[in-house]
Amino acid sequence: METTYSNNKFSKVPPQDGFRVAYILHLADNSLILGQRNAEWCGHGPVLEQDIAITNISLDLIGQARSFYQYAAQLINQHSPSPGGGRGEASEDSLAYLRTEREFKNCLLAEQPNGDWAQTMLRQFLYSTYQYYLYRFLQTNSDTTIAGIAEKSLKEVSYHLRWSSEWVIRLGDGTEESHKRMLRAVDELWSYTGELFIPAPYEKELSIDTAFLKDDWAKKVNTVFDEAALTVPSNVFMQEGGKTGTHTEHLGYILSDLQYLQRAYPGCDW
Amino acid sequence: MPVQNFEQIFQGKIDNEVKIEPKDWMPDAYRRTNIRQISQHAHSEVVGMLPEGNWITRAPSLKRKAILLAKVQDEAGHGLYLYSACETLGVSREETMNDLHSGKAKYSSIFNYPTLTWADIGAIGWLVDGAAIMNQVMLTRTSYGPYARAMVRICKEESFHQRQGFESLLVLSRGTEEQKAMCQDAINRWWWPALMMFGPKDSESTNSDQSMKWKIKRKSNDELRQNFVDMIAEQIKTLGMKLPDDKLKWNDERRHYDFGEINWDEFWQVVKGNGPCNKQRLDARKKAWEEGEWVREAAAAYARKKASPNPSKGGALEAA
Ligand SMILES: [Fe+2]
Ligand SMILES: [Fe+2]
Ligand SMILES: [Fe+2]
């Protein structure tokens, strides 16, 4: 499978940093796309308090994305200084708004539709669990900027994990209807969980041990599913490709909304 | 004590600027007026999330997206404080919301206008939050204690919203020709509806006299509207934009800006439900509420299970 880290926009980035930039963009894209999805709830939540809570999570995720994009931009610019400065340089916004469907590296799980509240809660739980263990691992990364962002974000992520696991339990073990809806959500989302633990080339290069994460992730998911009266599915075929730029059809629509103004009015300040 | 004495004590407190508190005796009409006004205000905060929410996924930069998300989230918070203030008068949030969904309760008509371009987000912050502040600063001194206290918290955030809206328009006003045009167009469309937010002219306002006597209101619709015009007529100079009113002119004698006549037909049409988005706004709120019903039921059912003295399983909720 072709990887997109050698994309011509960053052609001056040497290979080793190319992997690093690709990985940072992957982390940023994950947070941005899930944040964008959660933001769709704002104003439409099932009850005001939860509307506020899901918006908080969205804000946290977008904040993380910004930190990672800023760092990626810094690395890219180091290798291709633009003499005039300003325009043409990579920035958090050029990376979020001017890359295409095939350049985004978020995992497929993040881009799946909100569905109902059950589906959104399960998506958040599955992802936050992954993010929690990943960031805990990244806290000690030799790249101190990545480590710093992970450490700072871990507090937020712990809250997301607690909040979403509470909802999974509440809905799984709530009413007959909520249980049924949780089952459907598991059915919708499970095939997108495998990808989280299949290393992309940039993860391999950077020795990100995704297999190690899988054990912790599975243990946590098992515990919560057990409490929620849900069963962890087995023998599900796993979809993959998001991390290397082959997405589900949803991403194109997400980017159409996200990038609309920057595409329609190129080169403007906002 | 005869009711008359209660009434004297009540009006005495009002006259002496002592706040009325939930457990105090109050005339029925005072209670009803406060319920009506606070709930209308709460609904306005929550319905107001919709026109701005319309641009969250399309905000043009990550910084603007974060600002807008946080702003709309603040409005949800305002809604919460106000529903709580309403509950102190003996109506539950559920009842209050049902009145919104049935069309019995009103909300500010301004939110029945569409947000057509990104500049509308700046214009709402600047003009709509700006107009709301005029009213709300006055309400920090309203006679009903819980309402006044909610307003103090809310006002701080609203003035932040107004500054952010203005700043967002300022960037557009210094941008490309297209951005400038977008900015002017938004101001053109939001200016008159913003003036309508202060309600009918004093000569035609039905609830005003009693509300003034009870110090629920302290300034008339026209006074507040004038203050708003005076403020915005100055601020727009920094933007280098124009308000869409030929009659707008400083009047040295009055020490105020003169301004043109509001289209009151349009005002009443929107109040009656014929604004461009009345139906969409109410439908969106009803949809959120109805589709959230199973969620609220499940949460309640789960809470009941946990409260019952039969703890079947361990506490992963706490451990999680
Ligand atoms: Fe507000
Ligand atoms: Fe308000
Ligand atoms: Fe506001």
Side-chain angles (χ1 to χ4, degrees):
Chain A
M1 188 180 299
E2 203 193 334
T3 53
T4 49
Y5 58 83
S6 61
N7 183 283
N8 58 10
K9 275 179 197 162
F10 315 134
S11 57
K12 298 205 184 76
V13 181
Q16 200 40 46
D17 268 7
F19 288 119
R20 199 143 59 104
V21 167
Y23 185 56
I24 297 163
L25 288 174
H26 158 70
L27 295 173
D29 292 345
N30 273 343
S31 292
L32 177 63
I33 297 301
L34 187 55
Q36 172 88 353
R37 273 297 192 210
N38 284 340
E40 293 171 19
W41 274 106
C42 184
H44 306 277
V47 63
L48 272 176
E49 287 84 345
Q50 302 307 327
D51 202 304
I52 290 171
I54 188 92
T55 304
N56 248 333
I57 293 178
S58 178
L59 275 165
D60 287 344
L61 289 167
I62 289 166
Q64 293 164 14
R66 291 183 67 186
S67 302
F68 284 124
Y69 284 133
Q70 284 164 13
Y71 182 42
Q74 189 193 321
L75 290 175
I76 292 165
N77 292 333
Q78 262 169 26
H79 295 292
S80 45
S82 110
R87 302 228 176 285
E89 268 191 38
S91 66
E92 61 172 50
D93 285 333
S94 80
L95 293 173
Y97 286 83
L98 300 176
R99 284 181 307 134
T100 65
E101 296 89 325
R102 303 281 280 127
E103 293 170 287
F104 267 72
K105 297 171 192 7
N106 60 280
C107 52
L108 301 174
L109 181 63
E111 71 201 37
Q112 296 313 303
N114 287 349
D116 58 10
W117 190 250
Q119 190 167 324
T120 297
M121 290 307 102
L122 183 66
R123 185 184 63 197
Q124 191 62 48
F125 168 66
L126 296 172
Y127 185 73
S128 291
T129 307
Y130 166 73
Q131 210 187 14
Y132 175 78
Y133 292 112
L134 176 64
Y135 281 18
R136 220 173 59 168
F137 170 73
L138 289 177
Q139 273 187 113
T140 56
N141 198 271
S142 57
D143 181 320
T144 52
T145 308
I146 293 180
I149 299 170
E151 189 189 351
K152 187 177 151 280
S153 308
L154 198 58
K155 236 204 220 149
E156 298 167 356
V157 175
S158 313
Y159 164 76
H160 305 169
L161 174 55
R162 194 174 63 230
W163 180 81
S164 59
S165 56
E166 283 172 6
W167 270 109
V168 167
I169 292 167
R170 200 176 279 137
L171 296 178
D173 191 22
T175 59
E176 208 175 303
E177 171 161 20
S178 70
H179 182 73
K180 225 167 56 195
R181 285 175 184 263
M182 274 318 291
L183 291 178
R184 198 169 59 202
V186 173
D187 195 43
E188 284 292 321
L189 296 177
W190 196 259
S191 65
Y192 300 108
T193 57
E195 185 193 24
L196 300 172
F197 310 103
I198 301 168
Y202 46 81
E203 285 171 309
K204 280 185 197 151
E205 285 294 326
L206 298 171
S207 313
I208 307 296
D209 188 354
T210 43
F212 163 78
L213 293 176
K214 188 175 185 176
D215 294 339
D216 285 335
W217 182 86
K219 224 181 276 166
K220 178 69 182 177
V221 170
N222 268 314
T223 310
V224 170
F225 269 35
D226 195 38
E227 174 104 14
L230 298 168
T231 313
V232 173
S234 53
N235 293 325
V236 173
F237 183 83
M238 291 296 177
Q239 301 294 336
E240 58 178 304
K243 287 173 164 187
T244 47
T246 307
H247 291 272
T248 58
E249 288 177 347
H250 303 297
L251 185 70
Y253 292 95
I254 295 176
L255 296 186
S256 308
D257 271 1
L258 181 92
Q259 301 181 338
Y260 151 64
L261 280 164
Q262 292 268 359
R263 300 283 188 187
Y265 304 93
C268 290
D269 286 325
W270 300 94
Chain B
M1 236 186 312
V3 168
Q4 195 147 19
N5 288 357
F6 282 119
E7 268 190 22
Q8 271 166 15
I9 296 167
F10 171 80
Q11 191 62 47
K13 280 187 189 160
I14 302 257
D15 295 341
N16 290 308
E17 302 294 335
V18 176
K19 296 278 178 249
I20 306 303
E21 295 300 334
K23 293 204 170 96
D24 294 347
W25 185 92
M26 62 186 89
D28 248 11
Y30 178 85
R31 182 184 299 274
R32 277 199 310 272
T33 304
N34 266 294
I35 291 174
R36 182 173 47 78
Q37 192 174 326
I38 300 169
S39 66
Q40 251 180 46
H41 193 162
H43 299 326
S44 301
E45 302 285 354
V46 173
V47 177
M49 296 168 75
L50 298 170
E52 291 185 279
N54 185 36
W55 279 89
I56 289 172
T57 59
R58 292 177 293 169
S61 71
L62 295 181
K63 182 183 125 195
R64 293 285 171 211
K65 190 188 290 291
I67 290 175
L68 181 56
L69 262 173
K71 194 232 182 206
V72 178
Q73 187 191 36
D74 283 348
E75 307 301 0
H78 300 170
L80 270 185
Y81 304 155
L82 289 163
Y83 285 122
S84 305
C86 227
E87 283 180 323
T88 65
L89 290 161
V91 275
S92 71
R93 197 202 303 185
E94 185 140 14
E95 286 172 82
T96 311
M97 292 194 110
N98 285 340
D99 285 347
L100 171 70
H101 300 148
S102 72
K104 189 179 150 204
K106 297 268 178 256
Y107 56 87
S108 180
S109 277
I110 192 80
F111 301 119
N112 292 316
Y113 290 86
T115 48
L116 301 179
T117 73
W118 167 251
D120 290 24
I121 299 308
I124 289 182
W126 179 44
L127 297 173
V128 176
D129 287 70
I133 291 166
M134 291 286 154
N135 196 33
Q136 290 172 2
V137 166
M138 168 188 80
L139 289 171
T140 59
R141 297 168 57 234
T142 193
S143 58
Y144 186 56
Y147 193 21
R149 288 187 290 272
M151 279 302 124
V152 173
R153 292 172 76 176
I154 289 175
C155 272
K156 280 190 203 133
E157 290 176 356
E158 300 291 15
S159 48
F160 195 57
H161 297 165
Q162 199 206 6
R163 256 180 296 148
Q164 284 172 329
F166 183 79
E167 194 264 332
S168 154
L169 290 186
L170 191 61
V171 172
L172 296 181
S173 76
R174 292 173 179 172
T176 62
E177 288 311 311
E178 279 170 312
Q179 286 177 301
K180 284 178 193 165
M182 191 190 277
C183 179
Q184 182 63 60
D185 169 60
I187 293 169
N188 293 348
R189 281 181 290 109
W190 289 95
W191 172 245
W192 291 105
L195 288 189
M196 295 176 198
M197 286 173 70
F198 298 95
K201 282 195 276 204
D202 293 348
S203 51
E204 268 149 56
S205 178
T206 44
N207 304 315
S208 272
D209 287 350
Q210 186 62 62
S211 282
M212 294 281 233
K213 188 174 160 233
W214 280 335
K215 293 184 181 166
I216 296 174
K217 273 179 85 111
R218 288 168 181 268
K219 285 183 177 184
S220 75
N221 294 354
D222 287 336
E223 264 179 287
L224 290 167
R225 185 161 23 234
Q226 181 70 61
N227 293 346
F228 178 67
V229 172
D230 292 346
M231 174 177 83
I232 297 297
E234 286 302 314
Q235 290 176 353
I236 197 162
K237 291 177 184 168
T238 312
L239 290 180
M241 296 281 143
K242 275 187 118 150
L243 292 174
D245 181 356
D246 295 339
K247 300 214 170 71
L248 187 85
K249 200 165 166 267
W250 176 254
N251 182 327
D252 216 23
E253 230 166 275
R254 290 202 310 125
R255 312 296 299 161
H256 284 297
Y257 277 90
D258 290 336
F259 57 99
E261 187 66 14
I262 287 167
N263 180 347
W264 293 109
D265 286 342
E266 177 181 327
F267 173 82
W268 289 114
Q269 282 301 335
V270 182
V271 170
K272 268 191 266 173
N274 298 323
C277 301
N278 292 61
K279 184 177 182 313
Q280 288 86 335
R281 300 296 183 238
L282 204 54
D283 285 353
R285 283 314 312 162
K286 279 196 273 197
K287 182 165 180 275
W289 187 250
E290 281 159 16
E291 288 181 358
E293 192 170 354
W294 71 269
V295 180
R296 298 189 298 274
E297 273 170 8
Y302 182 79
R304 273 195 305 274
K305 270 188 216 177
K306 289 292 120 175
S308 73
N310 177 26
S312 51
K313 286 179 203 151
L317 268 186
E318 288 85 332

